[in-house]
Amino acid sequence: MSIQTAIVTGANSGMGLATTIELAKQGYQVIMACRSEKRGQEALHRALHQSGSSRIELMLCDLGSLDSIRQFARRFREQHDQLDVLVNNAGVVMIKRKETSDGFEQSIGINHLGHFLLTLLLIEPLKAAKQGRIVNVSSGAYKVGKIHFDDPHFHKGYNPIKGYAQSKLANVYFTRSLARRLAGTSVTANCLHPGAVGTSIGVNRSTGFGTRIMAFASKLPFFLTPEEGARTAIYLATSPDVAGVTGQYFYQQKQEQLKPHALDDAAAEQLWTWSEEQVGLQPDERL
């Protein structure tokens, strides 16, 4: 039986690391897609030790850089013929408005556009798998989200809640649009709300601002551990119960009905077209 391969983005800490360890324990070959070489290597050692597996590797990928994403996808396709699981886990909450290297507001740039491009560049190896699975980590914050098509990068009136909620609704729209485009193939796409998890998502990528706040918050009794928060992602990545399920939203390993505005297929298609333009998708890369 051939070894199944998984990619986990944002795998150097929190739910990404927990997901990596559990998938490795289940026998998957796991590629940890991380932005930082130093933090990635530290996490790789932890993952190897805690999983007892030797089938984990680190590959650098900065979801805030279209060039880095393209390099990662190219390297992966050169080394692997198929991809069984893609867990789009990485995410940020930006207290102050900042831009990616490509000029995107970071919440929509990293949480949505980065994963949008990465996923589309990996569609062929996903199709080559017996049953490829795309798992997008969204959030219940989608419920208060709106895609601000007039100013999606918030050049005016930015606030963290508005930016994060927009990006999480984008994850839901992306999942549903993906599922429609992949209908009739062996690839499924689902998204999830992990619950309130104490991770480093609110920590500034450059300055480390917020580290103490998040460390304190993670100890509050209503916060889940990263391991608890990762359970639904692992369920969607591995369970035979959802082998044929696609285009759905899950919480606590159960399918949930989306709010009406998240079912707006016209808005989802508008977001898809905008996203293709933003990331410079080439004709042969489109679904």
Side-chain angles (χ1 to χ4, degrees):
M1 186 174 176
S2 61
I3 301 297
Q4 291 184 295
T5 302
I7 292 173
V8 181
T9 69
N12 62 282
S13 64
M15 289 187 298
L17 180 56
T19 301
T20 295
I21 292 168
E22 183 55 34
L23 288 175
K25 283 181 178 178
Q26 293 192 29
Y28 285 77
Q29 177 181 4
V30 186
I31 288 90
M32 302 173 70
C34 302
R35 181 176 69 99
S36 164
E37 173 83 41
K38 180 177 183 294
R39 290 194 295 273
Q41 287 292 347
E42 291 169 355
L44 174 61
H45 291 307
R46 280 185 62 188
L48 290 167
H49 175 72
Q50 292 183 28
S51 67
S53 170
S54 60
R55 297 194 186 100
I56 309 174
E57 62 179 291
L58 170 67
M59 288 179 64
L60 296 184
C61 181
D62 181 356
L63 286 159
S65 164
L66 298 179
D67 184 58
S68 176
I69 294 165
R70 287 189 172 279
Q71 288 181 35
F72 173 90
R74 192 179 306 115
R75 288 196 305 272
F76 178 84
R77 293 194 307 262
E78 287 171 355
Q79 297 171 23
H80 301 271
D81 295 326
Q82 70 179 54
L83 175 62
D84 298 273
V85 174
L86 172 61
V87 182
N88 288 322
N89 161 83
V92 298
V93 177
M94 301 308 300
I95 305 303
K96 294 182 179 180
R97 184 187 182 279
K98 289 186 177 295
E99 294 186 349
T100 68
S101 59
D102 300 290
F104 306 148
E105 184 277 315
Q106 284 198 3
S107 298
I108 195 77
I110 294 167
N111 299 355
H112 168 61
L113 290 171
H115 284 128
F116 177 88
L117 178 60
L118 178 66
T119 302
L120 294 187
L121 295 179
L122 295 174
I123 287 296
E124 290 310 313
L126 281 160
K127 285 181 176 178
K130 183 177 180 182
Q131 201 249 297
R133 299 190 186 197
I134 301 163
V135 180
N136 295 324
V137 178
S138 181
S139 165
Y142 88 84
K143 295 174 184 177
V144 296
K146 173 187 175 184
I147 308 299
H148 298 262
F149 287 111
D150 57 335
D151 185 20
H153 292 301
F154 297 111
H155 292 101
K156 298 178 181 178
Y158 176 80
N159 76 59
I161 295 173
K162 195 161 69 170
Y164 184 69
Q166 173 178 252
S167 74
K168 295 293 106 177
L169 177 60
N171 293 155
V172 175
Y173 281 164
F174 176 43
T175 301
R176 288 174 49 77
S177 295
L178 258 181
R180 284 194 295 273
R181 284 168 167 78
L182 292 168
T185 74
S186 60
V187 183
T188 61
N190 292 290
C191 59
L192 67 114
H193 171 42
V197 184
T199 71
S200 61
I201 192 170
V203 178
N204 187 290
R205 284 155 60 96
S206 302
T207 66
F209 176 79
T211 303
R212 290 186 179 181
I213 297 170
M214 294 309 295
F216 170 75
S218 67
K219 294 180 172 62
L220 296 175
F222 52 82
F223 268 85
L224 302 176
T225 65
E227 290 73 22
E228 291 168 335
R231 284 175 185 165
T232 301
I234 294 161
Y235 171 75
L236 290 173
T238 65
S239 175
D241 295 344
V242 290
V245 177
T246 191
Q248 302 302 316
Y249 174 82
F250 285 77
Y251 175 50
Q252 294 183 336
Q253 301 177 51
K254 294 178 181 177
Q255 190 174 319
E256 274 205 352
Q257 180 65 32
L258 287 162
K259 297 297 182 183
H261 74 291
L263 300 172
D264 186 340
D265 290 342
E269 286 305 302
Q270 186 177 353
L271 176 70
W272 186 285
T273 300
W274 175 81
S275 301
E276 287 184 334
E277 294 168 352
Q278 292 292 292
V279 304
L281 209 65
Q282 300 301 304
D284 63 339
E285 295 170 343
R286 293 178 179 172
L287 263 181

